[in-house]
Amino acid sequence: VMVVDDDIHVQRLITTLLGNENYNVRCLSNPKSVLDEVMKQPPEIMLLDIRMPGMTGYDVCRAIKENPEFNDFPIIFLSGLDDEESIVEGFQVGGVDYLTKPLLPKVLLARIRTHMELFQSRIIVQEQKELLTRQVAIRTAELQDSNRRLSESEARFREFFTNNVSSNFW
């Protein structure tokens, strides 16, 4: 879990809470370094504050989502902003959830668990889709080869029949 928040108290709270649940937690305070860190070692999920110096969480999310590799990457916004516009913007830029501060520990854990399971399920579905696509391609090639061999065999039979059987038959 990557936590991006400039408030050290929030980082400590989340690190302790998630550490007690055996999650590995990486904290960042500088939103401008997030994209580099995600590219180096992508977390399974990100908890992202909205109001930070130099760059908003919305901007960070947009930058991450610009890379197609991270299109389905789960980002949960954490914010003291609880107005409708802020929440809607969070979803519009690609967030999967939005939690308001002060955080409710059990709610945070439940949301993290749910979104990590969904993300893992998407990965499994994508892998299965790729496997099926490869299997269909292999089977299609095998069928095309069988059809080619059948056509060649039919052509040889017609030639044999035309040359040998039909002239002797009448």
Side-chain angles (χ1 to χ4, degrees):
V1 178
M2 181 181 283
V3 178
V4 183
D5 197 310
D6 60 320
D7 185 336
I8 192 73
H9 301 295
V10 172
Q11 287 183 9
R12 285 186 189 142
L13 170 76
I14 293 173
T15 300
T16 301
L17 179 66
L18 297 182
N20 290 339
E21 298 292 320
N22 297 316
Y23 286 102
N24 292 321
V25 181
R26 204 170 13 147
C27 294
L28 298 171
S29 298
N30 181 355
K32 293 180 180 181
S33 65
V34 172
L35 198 53
D36 289 336
E37 289 297 317
V38 167
M39 297 301 267
K40 282 184 213 170
Q41 185 181 3
E44 291 184 43
I45 194 165
M46 179 183 291
L47 305 177
L48 179 59
D49 187 22
I50 292 175
R51 291 189 293 187
M52 294 178 286
M55 190 175 192
T56 69
Y58 300 134
D59 295 330
V60 171
C61 185
R62 276 188 206 95
I64 291 170
K65 298 294 181 163
E66 283 178 1
N67 183 332
E69 184 180 335
F70 298 109
N71 200 31
D72 291 330
F73 177 71
I75 296 174
I76 298 176
F77 283 107
L78 308 176
S79 181
L81 303 172
D82 63 355
D83 60 285
E84 186 175 14
E85 292 80 23
S86 297
I87 296 168
V88 169
E89 185 173 357
F91 289 114
Q92 287 175 337
V93 299
V96 296
D97 213 333
Y98 191 104
L99 298 173
T100 56
K101 296 176 184 177
L103 298 171
L104 302 172
K106 289 181 183 178
V107 173
L108 176 64
L109 288 172
R111 300 276 178 87
I112 289 171
R113 226 176 273 119
T114 298
H115 288 295
M116 286 181 83
E117 288 171 5
L118 285 170
F119 184 63
Q120 291 301 323
S121 295
R122 279 191 214 111
I123 290 171
I124 291 168
V125 167
Q126 183 61 35
E127 288 170 351
Q128 292 297 312
K129 180 181 172 185
E130 290 169 4
L131 175 64
L132 286 172
T133 300
R134 286 191 303 272
Q135 289 175 336
V136 165
I138 290 168
R139 186 67 182 131
T140 299
E142 289 171 350
L143 288 171
Q144 288 171 340
D145 186 51
S146 293
N147 285 339
R148 180 190 51 77
R149 286 185 282 131
L150 179 61
S151 295
E152 290 170 357
S153 177
E154 288 172 344
R156 283 192 305 273
F157 178 75
R158 274 194 297 279
E159 183 180 327
F160 174 80
F161 184 78
T162 302
N163 292 339
N164 297 312
V165 177
S166 63
S167 62
N168 295 331
F169 186 70
W170 301 110

